[in-house]
Amino acid sequence: MTLQNGVRIYQFVRDRLDDQREEQHPHGHEAYVDAWRKAAGLSQDHATAVQNGDTDEAERALQELYAMADEWKHHPEYPAAPAVPPAA
């Protein structure tokens, strides 16, 4: 679990949200802002958890970011999920 895992998926979600904003503005602006804030918050939660060594919280935030990104899973820039080491 590294900071880069969260940054990569957050940047992907942010870029797709920007694409949606351009397609839906002005009708989708409020929904865009709400989704952007959620993604930014999850990215921060992930970074904080990784820094604090809280792997459960880091994984939770990362999985929520991947859930947000799910609608774009066939996009060519979709980041691969990080490998999860086997439980010891």
Side-chain angles (χ1 to χ4, degrees), residues 17 19 25 58 68-69 81 86:
L17 290 171
D19 292 345
H25 188 73
M68 288 184 76

Side-chain angles (χ1 to χ4, degrees), residues 54-68:
D54 185 346
T55 55
D56 289 341
E57 176 60 16
E59 182 66 24
R60 181 203 63 78
L62 191 63
Q63 290 306 315
E64 283 197 52
L65 280 165
Y66 271 97
M68 288 184 76

Side-chain angles (χ1 to χ4, degrees), residues 7-48:
V7 168
R8 220 175 2 260
I9 191 66
Y10 165 68
Q11 288 174 335
F12 176 80
V13 168
R14 185 196 60 208
D15 290 347
R16 301 297 71 77
L17 290 171
D18 286 347
D19 292 345
Q20 280 185 338
R21 180 190 63 200
E22 292 168 11
E23 294 168 6
Q24 299 172 357
H25 188 73
H27 303 294
H29 186 71
E30 189 171 322
Y32 162 82
V33 170
D34 291 344
W36 185 92
R37 285 181 179 149
K38 179 179 179 182
L42 288 168
S43 178
Q44 184 60 53
D45 292 348
H46 177 266
T48 300

